[in-house]
Amino acid sequence: LKPEDCAAIRDWPGYYRAVRGKGPRETLLAALDAFDREGPPGHAVDLGCGEGRDTVEMLRRGWRVLAIDGHPEAFEHLRRRVGTEPRLTTRVEAFEHAALPREIDLVNASFALPFCGPAEFPSVWSRIVASLRPGGRFAGQLFGDRDSWATLPDRAHLSRSDVEGLLEVFHVEHLREEERDGNDERKKAKHWHVYHVVARKR
Ligand SMILES: C[S@@+](CC[C@H](N)C(=O)[O-])C[C@H]1O[C@@H](n2cnc3c(N)ncnc32)[C@H](O)[C@@H]1O
C-alpha cells in the first residue's frame, strides 16, 4: 500500500512501514536552515511525529525535541532509530488534548494537522501559536479544501484565506500551495491540495 492509502483510513502502522527510510520533510529543512543562520539549536515540538523522519533530523542537528503522536507504535520505530537519546522526550497524546510547553523555538507538524478533528482544530492552532516564542517558527503542512479528503468528516481542511488568517501573526517565509492528481494506476487517484508552510512568529 502507498502511504496515502494508509493515511486515508488512519492505518498508522501501515503508514510507518510504507514510509520507512524516507528523509526529513523540506519544510523542516528550510526551518532548520533558517535557525542555523541565527544561532545554536533550540527546543522543538514535533506534532504527529510518526516513525520519526523529522525528529531524527532535528536530533542529528543538535535540537532538543518533544515528539508527540497519538499512536504508540510511532515511538517503537523512533526509539529503534535513536535509542535512549537524552535530548528526546516522547508523549503518546492526541493533538486535541496536548498541552504544549512555552517558549518553544520550533513547532513542526508534517502532514499531521489535517488529521485533527475539525471542531478542535482552532484550539490546537491557538496552542501552537501560544507555545512559540516571538521569532519561533511553525513548519509543516495544512490541507486544502479541494483535497480529496476534505469530504471526510473527521479532517481539518482549509481554504487559502483560512490559511492566510492563521498566519496573520507570523512572517511567512515559505508558503507553497500544491495542487495535483496522484498517480492513477487503479483509477482512484487522490487529488492533493496541500499548503507547505514555514513561518516565523512576529
Ligand atoms: C501522515 S502521518 C505523518 C507522520 C510524520 N510527521 C511524517 O511526516 O511522515 C500522521 C501522524 O499523525 C498522527 N495523528 C493523527 N491524528 C492524530 C491526532 N488526532 N492526535 C495525535 N496524533 C495524530 C498519526 O498517528 C501519524 O503518526
Side-chain angles (χ1 to χ4, degrees), residues 10 12 15-16 25 48-50 53 69-71 93-96 110-112 115:
R10 295 176 184 263
W12 300 125
Y15 181 87
Y16 304 147
R25 303 286 186 179
C49 62
R53 58 197 293 176
D69 199 285
H71 203 294
E93 205 166 29
F95 310 134
E96 293 84 341
S110 294
F111 291 89
F115 301 99

Side-chain angles (χ1 to χ4, degrees), residues 33-101:
D33 288 349
F35 281 112
D36 281 349
R37 293 190 285 272
E38 296 168 357
H43 188 193
V45 173
D46 194 4
L47 267 185
C49 62
E51 43 73 69
R53 58 197 293 176
D54 287 347
T55 295
V56 166
E57 177 69 6
M58 289 188 262
L59 293 170
R60 191 184 71 76
R61 291 171 70 155
W63 284 67
R64 275 195 299 141
V65 183
L66 167 62
I68 296 176
D69 199 285
H71 203 294
E73 201 175 304
F75 300 109
E76 293 173 24
H77 293 280
L78 178 54
R79 282 291 176 192
R80 214 173 294 133
R81 295 171 77 171
V82 302
T84 55
E85 163 58 62
R87 282 181 287 111
L88 172 65
T89 307
T90 60
R91 286 192 347 218
V92 181
E93 205 166 29
F95 310 134
E96 293 84 341
H97 308 294
L100 302 179

Side-chain angles (χ1 to χ4, degrees), residues 7 12 28 30 46 73 79 95 114-115 146 162 178 183 188 201:
W12 300 125
L28 172 69
D46 194 4
E73 201 175 304
R79 282 291 176 192
F95 310 134
F115 301 99
R146 293 187 298 277
D162 292 337
E178 177 185 16
N183 303 331
K188 52 171 190 176
K201 189 176 165 184

